[in-house]
């Protein structure tokens, strides 16, 4: 078999005289013009059915045919909204009739008997017109796509700005000027839609896009104003002006069940939708988004509810800064001591604290969660724990999806235990912690007078025991380690500054520059001035 040639254009030929159809087939320069004949019809009804089924680019039809003539065929195709170009064939006696048919946007016409050159010229003209139309459509489509992408980007930026809840809040006029988005005062509600599965809400996942598409479809009559997938879930702002409250509630419940149907793809979802109270102005939109977020978070006080309306919740108590202070202090101590028993005790106490009160304590529960993670982060930043910012963010995402207060506490305990295990896994035993703290202390204060007794006291050891532990873990005496730190600092200053040797000596903790020069020569095997010439 020969290689199949891809055709750029498709044509249907319709004439009640089969010999005319065959003549056209022989005369047409189909290969050069890249036109494929997809059907030959001998009456108008057959031609109409073939056009509906095959959707050709070109239809070459006789005016006079049984059943349905060419003009009726053209008129019906136009009414059906089928996009194709027509060339009509007529005899001399129907020329005036054919000429008037040109008002129906027929592209070209041919007179019988068919002339080869005229046929191919007409076909070439129509192909060029189709090309021009395709290019214009493609450019228009590309332009529309760019416009839509810019509009979507602007809407996403607006939603991010609203979620940041900056003060003062944006007015409708500012939103129009900065984000090219018209927002009239009316009635709006905010939603937060969360699947309960953090991995579905990570950047790049299609779940959020599917939720947005579903929300836009469900709220097409109500008015889906803005939607934005985030790590917290999918936020939506609805324009509900002139809509009955029960209608809105019904649409939200319908949205819940349509998203719940995604379980066929993603498995069981712990789906919750938090819904704000209605607001009237643009300035109130950030508060509405915050209220939807808070409503969704109240799920931890009982079995997950399908839809949580803020209007049904009690007044939220303001967090008490002193609440949990003792537990947080004990947590810091347990982390530093690497005591699993002490850590378990901390979270047993924290569990009792979290279980106090009802839904009105939602803000307090999440405040304590944030403070626990803050202590873990502080522990990491102190240099005592080799965990990354990415791991801490993962801890936050995991605890964000807790379905109860007990689950939240267990997840926090698990995070803390993983921190402890990572520390233990990188050190020989718990004695290494005071050594790390001692090194950190020296790095921060080497320019000052330092003694073994001072550093031992800082880490809580006797001088003799600290000296033994330090050498065990570093294979070097503390006094030699202090000299190394100071000499390395001096070498850096010699390479990077114009300070005199005496100034550098004082800067690294040696007021006597003669002693410093002697010490430097002993450890580096070069005089300070020689080192500077060699490496600066």
């Amino acid at each position: 078999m020969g290689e199949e040639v891809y055709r750029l254009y498709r044509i249907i030929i319709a004439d009640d005289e089969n010999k005319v159809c065959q003549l056209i087939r022989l005369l047409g320069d189909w290969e050069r013009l890249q036109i494929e004949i997809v059907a030959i019809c001998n009456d108008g009804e057959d031609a109409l059915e073939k056009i509906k089924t095959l959707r050709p680019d070109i239809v070459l039809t006789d005016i006079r045919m049984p059943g349905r003539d060419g003009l009726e065929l053209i008129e019906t195709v136009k009414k059906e909204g089928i996009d194709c170009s027509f060339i009509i064939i007529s005899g001399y006696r129907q020329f005036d009739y054919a000429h008037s048919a040109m008002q129906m946007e027929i592209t070209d016409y041919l007179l019988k008997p068919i002339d080869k050159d005229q046929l191919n010229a007409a076909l070439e003209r129509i192909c060029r017109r189709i090309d021009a139309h395709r290019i214009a459509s493609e450019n228009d489509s590309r332009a529309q796509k760019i416009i839509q992408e810019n509009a979507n980007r602007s809407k996403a930026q607006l939603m991010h700005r609203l979620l940041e809840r900056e003060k003062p809040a944006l007015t409708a006029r500012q939103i129009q000027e900065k984000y090219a988005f018209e927002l009239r005062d009316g009635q709006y509600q905010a939603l937060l839609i969360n699947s309960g599965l953090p991995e579905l809400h990570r950047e790049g996942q299609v779940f959020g896009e599917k939720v947005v598409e579903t929300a836009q479809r469900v709220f097409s009559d109500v008015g889906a104003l803005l939607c934005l997938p985030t790590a917290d879930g999918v936020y939506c702002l609805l324009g509900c002006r002139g809509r009955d409250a029960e209608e809105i509630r019904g649409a939200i419940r319908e949205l819940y069940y349509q998203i719940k149907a995604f379980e066929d793809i993603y498995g069981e979802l712990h789906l919750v939708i938090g819904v704000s109270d209605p607001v009237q102005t643009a300035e109130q939109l950030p508060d509405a988004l915050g209220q939807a977020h808070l409503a969704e978070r109240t799920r931890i006080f009982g079995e997950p509810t399908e839809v949580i309306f803020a209007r049904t919740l009690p007044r939220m108590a303001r967090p008490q800064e002193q609440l949990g202070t003792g537990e947080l202090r004990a947590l810091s101590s347990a982390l530093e001591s690497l005591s699993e028993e002490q850590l378990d005790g901390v979270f047993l106490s924290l569990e009792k604290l979290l279980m106090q009160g009802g839904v009105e304590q939602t803000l307090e529960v999440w405040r304590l969660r944030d403070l626990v993670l803050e202590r873990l982060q502080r522990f990491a930043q102190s240099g005592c724990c080799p965990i990354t910012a990415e791991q801490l963010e993962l801890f936050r995402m995991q605890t964000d999806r807790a379905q109860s207060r007990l689950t939240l506490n267990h997840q926090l305990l698990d995070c803390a235990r993983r921190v402890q295990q990572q520390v233990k896994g990188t050190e020989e035993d718990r004695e290494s912690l005071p050594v790390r703290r001692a090194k950190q202390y020296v790095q921060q204060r080497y320019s000052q007078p330092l003694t073994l007794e001072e550093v031992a006291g800082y880490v809580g050891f006797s001088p003799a025991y600290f000296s033994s532990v330090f050498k065990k873990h570093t294979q070097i005496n503390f006094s030699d380690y202090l000299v190394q730190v100071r000499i390395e600092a001096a070498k850096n200053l010699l390479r990077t500054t114009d300070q005199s040797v005496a100034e550098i000596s004082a800067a690294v903790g040696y007021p006597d520059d003669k002693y410093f020069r002697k010490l430097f020569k002993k450890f580096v095997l070069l005089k300070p001035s020689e080192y500077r010439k060699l490496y600066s």
Side-chain angles (χ1 to χ4, degrees):
M1 293 180 62
E3 185 179 350
E4 183 178 349
V5 179
Y6 174 73
R7 308 295 185 183
L8 292 177
Y9 318 96
R10 291 151 53 86
I11 189 170
I12 287 177
I13 301 170
D15 196 295
D16 60 333
E17 295 183 67
N18 191 53
K19 62 180 183 180
V20 173
C21 294
Q22 296 308 318
L23 178 63
I24 292 171
R25 167 173 258 168
L26 290 171
L27 296 179
D29 197 353
W30 311 114
E31 290 287 340
R32 180 178 66 83
L33 297 173
Q34 293 186 285
I35 301 174
E36 177 185 5
I37 300 173
V38 294
I40 292 178
C41 308
N42 297 125
D43 64 73
E45 292 297 340
D46 184 32
L48 179 60
E49 290 305 313
K50 291 293 194 302
I51 291 170
K52 287 181 178 179
T53 304
L54 301 174
R55 302 285 171 147
D57 302 296
I58 309 166
V59 175
L60 197 158
T61 179
D62 192 7
I63 283 185
R64 294 297 188 187
M65 289 187 296
R68 185 189 297 267
D69 69 28
L71 297 185
E72 290 175 333
L73 173 65
I74 294 166
E75 186 176 4
T76 304
V77 169
K78 296 292 184 183
K79 286 180 179 178
E80 293 276 343
I82 300 172
D83 184 20
C84 62
S85 300
F86 286 90
I87 301 175
I88 60 172
I89 308 170
S90 71
Y92 283 106
R93 285 180 298 173
Q94 293 90 34
F95 177 76
D96 291 339
Y97 184 39
H99 191 267
S100 64
M102 300 299 287
Q103 301 301 317
M104 299 175 66
E105 298 182 3
I106 294 159
T107 307
D108 218 325
Y109 67 90
L110 297 171
L111 293 174
K112 292 181 180 179
I114 304 298
D115 178 80
K116 179 178 180 178
D117 292 337
Q118 289 179 355
L119 170 64
N120 287 305
L123 290 171
E124 189 160 0
R125 282 195 298 271
I126 207 168
C127 288
R128 300 294 77 80
R129 287 169 185 162
I130 291 172
D131 288 343
H133 177 70
R134 286 176 176 176
I135 292 170
S137 296
E138 184 179 340
N139 289 339
D140 184 61
S141 177
R142 188 181 295 115
Q144 289 298 322
K145 183 179 180 181
I146 293 171
I147 291 170
Q148 187 60 49
E149 287 175 351
N150 289 337
N152 290 341
R153 190 178 299 111
S154 182
K155 288 179 181 179
Q157 291 171 347
L158 171 58
M159 279 291 277
H160 281 299
R161 174 75 180 273
L162 294 174
L163 285 168
E164 289 169 0
R165 304 185 70 178
E166 294 181 3
K167 298 295 182 181
L170 291 169
T171 65
R173 182 175 179 178
Q174 289 170 329
I175 290 173
Q176 169 70 37
E177 292 175 351
K178 187 172 179 61
Y179 299 99
F181 188 79
E182 186 175 0
L183 187 66
R184 298 177 181 177
D185 288 347
Q187 183 170 302
Y188 305 103
Q189 277 184 280
L191 311 181
L192 174 57
I193 305 157
N194 203 295
S195 69
L197 302 177
E199 60 273 16
L200 296 185
H201 297 287
R202 291 175 183 164
E203 188 175 353
Q205 293 296 312
V206 299
F207 178 81
E209 296 175 11
K210 290 176 69 68
V211 170
V212 170
E213 291 172 3
T214 306
Q216 289 172 339
R217 184 172 62 252
V218 170
F219 297 121
S220 60
D221 292 335
V222 175
L225 187 62
L226 293 169
C227 297
L228 180 69
T230 72
D232 289 333
V234 179
Y235 283 96
C236 293
L237 277 173
L238 307 181
C240 308
R241 186 176 186 177
R243 297 290 177 175
D244 180 76
E246 187 55 40
E247 181 184 358
I248 300 299
R249 288 193 289 271
I252 293 171
R253 290 192 178 94
E254 174 63 21
L255 173 65
Y256 175 89
Y257 290 115
Q258 289 206 23
I259 298 173
K260 193 72 172 169
F262 293 171
E263 288 184 335
D264 292 342
I265 302 172
Y266 297 104
E268 184 180 4
L269 303 176
H270 303 290
L271 183 62
V272 177
I273 301 180
V275 186
S276 76
D277 291 335
V279 298
Q280 304 299 320
T281 66
E283 290 88 338
Q284 294 172 299
L285 293 178
D287 293 333
L289 289 165
Q291 197 178 54
H293 182 247
L294 181 59
E296 189 270 337
R297 283 190 158 197
T298 63
R299 68 182 182 279
I300 62 172
F301 282 86
E303 291 299 320
T305 308
E306 296 172 359
V307 181
I308 303 174
F309 291 90
R311 61 181 177 79
T312 66
L313 300 175
R315 184 179 180 85
M316 296 294 166
R318 295 183 63 182
Q320 303 175 43
E321 291 188 6
Q322 71 276 15
L323 199 64
T325 301
E327 286 77 8
L328 293 169
R329 189 161 48 243
L331 173 61
S332 295
S333 176
L335 288 170
E336 295 230 354
S337 67
L338 301 181
S339 168
E340 292 183 19
E341 183 179 354
Q342 188 177 344
L343 194 66
D344 289 344
V346 169
F347 281 93
L348 182 61
S349 177
L350 189 61
E351 179 182 307
K352 295 176 181 177
L353 191 61
L354 291 174
M355 294 304 293
Q356 293 176 6
V359 176
E360 69 279 358
Q361 296 298 323
T362 300
L363 291 171
E364 186 63 69
V365 169
W366 292 106
R367 182 191 74 89
L368 287 173
R369 188 289 302 264
D370 290 341
L371 290 174
V372 168
L373 294 183
E374 184 183 305
R375 291 299 167 109
L376 292 180
Q377 186 174 24
R378 192 180 304 170
F379 186 50
Q381 290 175 342
S382 71
C384 300
C385 178
I387 64 175
T388 64
E390 288 76 15
Q391 286 175 293
L392 287 166
E393 184 58 29
L394 181 60
F395 292 163
R396 184 177 300 279
M397 289 177 61
Q398 289 172 339
T399 54
D400 266 343
R401 302 278 50 84
Q403 299 300 312
S404 70
R405 287 170 287 175
L406 285 176
T407 304
L408 175 63
N409 192 64
H410 291 160
Q411 288 177 339
L412 288 171
L413 174 58
D414 181 63
C415 294
R417 281 174 174 167
R418 278 190 272 172
V419 171
Q420 281 194 336
Q421 289 303 316
Q422 280 187 260
V423 173
K424 290 180 179 179
T426 56
E427 301 294 343
E428 290 181 15
D429 56 44
R430 59 179 293 177
E431 289 178 342
S432 63
L433 176 59
V435 172
R436 290 197 306 276
R437 295 182 65 201
K439 285 184 173 182
Q440 187 178 24
Y441 189 82
V442 170
Q443 290 287 349
Q444 293 172 346
R445 293 172 174 79
Y446 64 80
S447 62
Q448 305 168 17
L450 274 181
T451 64
L452 183 145
E453 289 76 15
E454 177 186 344
V455 179
Y458 171 73
V459 299
F461 285 175
S462 68
Y465 182 64
F466 170 70
S467 179
S468 172
V469 169
F470 190 91
K471 187 167 184 177
K472 173 184 175 182
H473 287 277
T474 63
Q475 285 74 52
I476 188 175
N477 291 326
F478 173 77
S479 58
D480 289 338
Y481 173 75
L482 178 58
V483 172
Q484 282 186 0
V485 171
R486 286 171 166 169
I487 292 297
E488 285 302 316
K491 287 161 67 176
N492 181 60
L493 291 173
L494 286 166
R495 289 194 306 269
T496 60
T497 74
D498 294 327
Q499 290 179 278
S500 67
V501 174
E503 289 172 334
I504 291 174
S505 174
V508 298
Y510 295 113
D512 185 348
D513 66 292
K514 290 183 180 179
Y515 175 73
F516 166 72
R517 294 171 193 270
K518 182 178 179 181
L519 200 62
F520 190 92
K521 177 73 179 293
K522 176 183 176 181
F523 277 86
V524 184
L525 304 179
L526 292 170
K527 295 179 181 179
S529 56
E530 292 172 338
Y531 181 87
R532 170 171 273 168
K533 287 180 182 178
L534 191 59
Y535 293 103
S536 65

